[in-house]
Amino acid sequence: MNNAQLRKFFDKIKEDRVVFGPAIQDGKTIIKKIDDFRDLKLDGRLPIFSFKRFFLPEKESLFEYVGVNLSKPSERKTQKIALFGVNARDLKSILIYDQVFEKDPWYQERRENILVIGQMSATSEGKWEKIEEDLFEHLSFDIFLARFAPALDGLSPGESTRDSEPKRARISGDNDLTVFSGSVLGREVLENSGYNDFIHIQFSGPVKEKGIDKRMLRIKEKLEKQHDQAIWDRLGARCIECGKCSIVCPTCFCFRIDDQAELGRGRAERDDRSDNQGTRNRCWDSCFYQEFSELSGGHKFLNTTAKKIHFWYFHKFVRIPEEFDMVGCVGCGRCAEVCPVGIDIKEVLKEIEES
Amino acid sequence: MRNSYQTIPAVITKISPQTDNIKLFRFEFEKKSFKISGDDFIFRPGQFLILSLPGWGEAPFAPCNRLGEELELCVRSVGRLTRKLHSLKIGDKVGLRGPYGNGWPLNDLSQIANSKSSEKKNLLIIVGGLGLIPLRTLILGKKEFLGKDAKIQIFYGAKHPSEMLFSSEYKDWRKNGVDLQLTIDASCPEWRGCVGLVTKLFDAAKVVENARAFVCGPPVMYKSVIEKLKEKKFEEEDIYLSFERRMHCGIGVCQHCGVGNFYTCKHGPVFEYGLIKNTLGAI
């Protein structure tokens, strides 16, 4: 897909979806609503924030309440959107959301309306020949746009496992994108836009054939065996419980449920004369926040910083793998980037591994 | 699709004060076709449900009795939600959802009790403070849940005699064959029984034999009770602990009740001791 075709494809999608994607602002990659195709920046770089909020908003209304009765929010939008240019790491986190919120009606309703278009620059990912087998088949996307490095020209991603695939969907020019579909929706959208030169990838589940990464299993085991408390004490002494890592982490999905009383409307305007009216919201939470583990009466189970940061790691590297056979970390490194005291997840994992 | 967060309106039908700040509430569902006795909201002893007062929030509570189409919750007024609940009157409504969690392991117990084997058919209940609440359904339904030959012994510790829950029922419990042993934290003029922590009862009373132990109480209680149980040769697989944790979802998603590999709401609230003894932060 060359640039002109990409533009046509983008415009076609924009006809019935609001498009969000990576763009550059003040020299940084961010995610924003893309109105002009020229703003879209598909260079494979990670935006500061992940695509989390499109799947799990910071705050969403679960119900409207009148008295004790809960009903579906009347103003709930089911806007159709397209996430245009989701990098492979953020795509991985979608697999986790899909599992965790499998039975969640609000998530499912939102999810149905999201068209996921993945992107990758081969140069930014390396080890290219195994990408289809190791990565593509284990990511959930509707459409994927891959930019192959010129040096690897001639190597088709289909070649390793798909001999019967038509050979036409190859790298053709330096800047062209190779296009894959990953769902029926993706195929339809591509065909409707008049672009047919794509390869279909069959999603083979979130876990590679070889199983969960061996190193991650070692880390899980260490954590389960309470390897070395000193690591957590040291981290506890550094961490300032700001919770920034939770906010930027694509796989931090903790939430709390809060009621918000409505003050605006007078009683006369409502059908029900109950005084008690408002919305029940689900909001992002963080295990670093004070109330996270607090019981009525004030007892806190996570009563030290060390316990909180341990809880954060334990969730990603033990509970998520235990529950879903996936690692709860996509390796994006955003937590390290925003940490005011320089805690680097890579170093922490290395320390755990070597403990 | 089914919505786990949707609550069902229930009406308060009775309020019985227990102590200064604890009340026993009785509820029935507003919609009469919604049956507690049927499959709509059947709960096993030790499971919990979530009570909702929109505007004041939600919190988990273990029901403490099931009476035909009614259920009971015993609640201390201690936070925003429970203070509001305490201000309600008969006829007022709340929302309920659940039941959640696993409850006490009763199936094998009643099976053992009904078989000829004399093995572990009895029950030692060790509770402190509000910890008695999730066990009351079981105590009141002794015959139904444990079989008629099973013995129940209860070690119950409270701060003060005035804080003892369900005290008007003790006579009936004892008449029903329950060996109820009580202790209070510090001596006071109106108390002539055992004084000391609940663990003191292990030495004050003869511990029931062939029993499993069900433990529920404030977080500080577990360690010392487990030590005592081990001392009395209870096997790990015969010790069950009910945990209290903050909960928001009740279905193992929100993370607040995470304990090691487990979610208290989903894998608990009752845990076999052997399963969580090495879990950091559990006990």
Side-chain angles (χ1 to χ4, degrees):
Chain A
M1 187 183 268
N2 62 32
N3 211 43
Q5 288 167 317
L6 180 66
R7 184 180 193 141
K8 195 179 150 213
F9 174 59
F10 173 89
D11 288 340
K12 186 74 192 168
I13 286 172
K14 222 166 77 71
E15 279 174 17
D16 53 9
R17 289 177 188 271
V18 182
V19 179
F20 296 89
I24 305 288
Q25 190 175 296
D26 303 328
K28 291 189 171 114
T29 304
I30 57 149
I31 299 164
K32 64 171 217 172
K33 183 165 166 267
I34 309 280
D35 293 316
D36 186 338
F37 171 73
R38 286 167 298 184
D39 289 345
L40 189 68
K41 192 78 181 160
L42 301 180
D43 59 3
R45 273 171 46 188
L46 284 182
I48 301 167
F49 289 99
S50 74
F51 286 83
K52 174 164 75 175
R53 71 183 178 89
F54 296 98
F55 296 86
L56 306 165
E58 298 92 319
K59 176 176 166 183
E60 70 173 315
S61 299
L62 300 184
F63 299 106
E64 281 175 1
Y65 63 80
V66 175
V68 299
N69 296 311
L70 307 177
S71 55
K72 199 179 167 180
S74 49
E75 287 162 26
R76 201 175 158 79
K77 280 180 278 175
T78 48
Q79 192 185 40
K80 279 190 162 193
I81 64 168
L83 301 180
F84 207 113
V86 184
N87 56 81
R89 295 194 189 275
D90 288 344
L91 281 177
K92 275 191 198 172
S93 59
I94 300 174
L95 293 170
I96 295 176
Y97 312 147
D98 282 349
Q99 291 286 333
V100 174
F101 293 91
E102 183 191 9
K103 296 181 175 69
D104 191 276
W106 299 277
Y107 179 82
Q108 292 302 335
E109 191 185 313
R110 196 166 36 240
R111 184 73 175 89
E112 275 169 22
N113 287 294
I114 303 176
L115 177 76
V116 178
I117 304 170
Q119 63 138 337
M120 172 199 280
S121 268
T123 43
S124 68
E125 291 289 336
K127 288 188 191 161
W128 178 217
E129 68 278 1
K130 297 183 77 186
I131 280 174
E132 174 169 350
E133 201 180 330
D134 279 0
L135 191 65
F136 275 13
E137 290 182 0
H138 306 290
L139 289 176
S140 167
F141 53 82
D142 297 302
I143 296 163
F144 199 97
L145 308 172
R147 198 183 301 275
F148 293 96
L152 292 163
D153 213 354
L155 180 76
S156 159
E159 247 167 26
S160 55
T161 54
R162 295 269 189 277
D163 291 342
S164 56
E165 285 291 345
K167 303 268 178 183
R168 59 197 162 81
R170 291 231 179 166
I171 308 104
S172 31
D174 279 2
N175 261 324
D176 286 358
L177 295 159
T178 307
V179 183
F180 302 88
S181 70
S183 70
V184 176
L185 174 68
R187 263 196 330 254
E188 281 170 7
V189 169
L190 281 162
E191 278 160 8
N192 285 345
S193 76
Y195 190 83
N196 289 301
D197 192 12
F198 60 88
I199 300 170
H200 186 70
I201 299 274
Q202 183 54 47
F203 181 57
S204 316
V207 189
K208 290 175 195 170
E209 284 76 0
K210 282 174 257 163
I212 197 165
D213 185 81
K214 293 281 182 295
R215 174 169 182 246
M216 289 301 159
L217 283 178
R218 277 202 301 278
I219 288 169
K220 176 172 183 276
E221 204 172 307
K222 292 267 186 189
L223 282 166
E224 283 177 302
K225 287 186 176 161
Q226 297 173 30
H227 56 115
D228 185 2
Q229 183 56 37
I231 293 178
W232 304 102
D233 292 340
R234 283 196 298 274
L235 286 169
R238 286 169 71 193
C239 168
I240 57 167
E241 303 184 5
C242 68
K244 281 175 105 175
C245 51
S246 297
I247 293 168
V248 295
C249 176
T251 71
C252 268
F253 57 77
C254 291
F255 60 82
R256 58 175 204 275
I257 298 172
D258 285 344
D259 290 349
Q260 191 178 341
E262 190 169 316
L263 304 169
R265 278 185 283 172
R267 235 194 263 199
E269 293 172 50
R270 303 194 302 255
D271 307 338
D272 189 296
R273 295 270 165 144
S274 171
D275 275 332
N276 189 36
Q277 184 161 336
T279 51
R280 175 160 288 174
N281 300 315
R282 172 160 60 192
C283 315
W284 286 0
D285 206 346
S286 164
C287 49
F288 289 103
Y289 295 163
Q290 286 306 313
E291 284 181 356
F292 188 83
S293 66
E294 189 180 330
L295 297 180
S296 59
H299 183 87
K300 285 175 193 164
F301 291 92
L302 304 178
N303 55 2
T304 65
T305 314
K307 284 181 188 170
K308 290 174 189 179
I309 196 160
H310 180 263
F311 190 91
W312 194 93
Y313 276 85
F314 212 88
H315 180 211
K316 296 184 194 312
F317 297 98
V318 182
R319 280 205 295 275
I320 291 178
E322 184 82 17
E323 233 181 323
F324 305 114
D325 267 328
M326 289 188 270
V327 180
C329 170
V330 300
C332 67
R334 288 182 176 104
C335 53
E337 203 142 311
V338 299
C339 181
V341 296
I343 295 172
D344 184 340
I345 192 163
K346 284 197 193 78
E347 287 165 21
V348 177
L349 291 178
K350 198 159 162 262
E351 239 187 304
I352 295 170
E353 206 186 359
E354 288 166 4
S355 66
Chain B
M1 85 191 267
R2 183 186 292 182
N3 190 329
S4 302
Y5 300 86
Q6 178 65 55
T7 60
I8 305 144
V11 182
I12 300 174
T13 57
K14 192 179 173 189
I15 302 171
S16 331
Q18 289 287 309
T19 71
D20 285 355
N21 61 359
I22 299 175
K23 285 180 181 175
L24 180 63
F25 294 87
R26 194 175 284 181
F27 301 93
E28 67 177 4
F29 286 104
E30 192 181 27
K31 208 170 87 190
K32 292 284 186 290
S33 60
F34 192 86
K35 295 281 186 199
I36 295 181
S37 58
D39 290 336
D40 292 331
F41 207 88
I42 195 151
F43 64 87
R44 295 188 300 279
Q47 284 189 300
F48 66 95
L49 45 83
I50 287 179
L51 179 139
S52 146
L53 281 172
W56 286 266
E58 293 186 307
F61 298 94
C64 61
N65 197 14
R66 189 168 82 198
L67 296 134
E69 290 308 317
E70 294 178 304
L71 62 83
E72 288 182 327
L73 296 181
C74 187
V75 179
R76 172 149 63 191
S77 170
V78 66
R80 215 169 103 79
L81 172 74
T82 50
R83 272 198 295 274
K84 177 65 185 173
L85 180 64
H86 270 243
S87 76
L88 298 184
K89 297 178 179 55
I90 291 171
D92 285 341
K93 287 188 270 181
V94 303
L96 296 175
R97 61 184 176 97
Y100 300 112
N102 54 4
W104 303 103
L106 296 174
N107 289 342
D108 358 337
L109 266 190
S110 57
Q111 272 162 24
I112 293 166
N114 292 329
S115 74
K116 294 225 167 63
S117 146
S118 62
E119 228 186 323
K120 309 284 164 59
K121 64 179 178 185
N122 299 322
L123 185 57
L124 172 61
I125 291 172
I126 306 142
V127 286
L130 301 183
L132 180 58
I133 294 169
L135 284 141
R136 181 164 166 264
T137 311
L138 186 55
I139 297 164
L140 295 173
K142 178 172 172 277
K143 218 167 109 185
E144 177 194 347
F145 296 116
L146 300 175
K148 63 176 168 38
D149 294 334
K151 284 184 215 159
I152 294 185
Q153 183 176 45
I154 304 172
F155 290 173
Y156 176 32
K159 276 202 183 106
H160 190 267
S162 67
E163 298 221 340
M164 285 192 162
L165 298 173
F166 317 119
S167 51
S168 64
E169 300 170 10
Y170 294 169
K171 227 168 111 186
D172 288 340
W173 294 6
R174 285 179 167 135
K175 217 190 293 172
N176 208 12
V178 172
D179 175 12
L180 177 63
Q181 302 286 338
L182 305 168
T183 182
I184 60 165
D185 285 1
S187 63
C188 67
E190 61 267 46
W191 184 254
R192 274 182 287 168
C194 178
V195 175
L197 299 176
V198 75
T199 41
K200 203 171 171 193
L201 290 168
F202 280 89
D203 304 315
K206 186 178 168 351
V207 178
V208 64
E209 287 179 352
N210 295 326
R212 287 188 187 181
F214 290 180
V215 186
C216 187
V220 291
M221 198 188 87
Y222 291 88
K223 215 176 221 163
S224 53
V225 167
I226 289 162
E227 262 168 46
K228 276 286 177 192
L229 286 168
K230 284 182 174 167
E231 215 174 274
K232 298 288 176 187
K233 305 287 179 243
F234 275 76
E235 303 285 339
E236 283 178 2
E237 68 260 31
D238 292 327
I239 303 173
Y240 291 87
L241 316 166
S242 180
F243 285 172
E244 183 185 10
R245 291 292 186 278
R246 188 187 184 99
M247 293 173 186
H248 284 246
C249 71
I251 51 173
V253 181
C254 75
Q255 300 302 312
H256 290 265
C257 74
V259 180
N261 294 19
F262 308 107
Y263 299 111
T264 308
C265 66
K266 190 173 158 185
H267 304 108
V270 177
F271 291 96
E272 187 188 315
Y273 171 63
L275 190 69
I276 41 87
K277 64 172 179 177
N278 293 324
T279 300
L280 199 65
I283 296 162

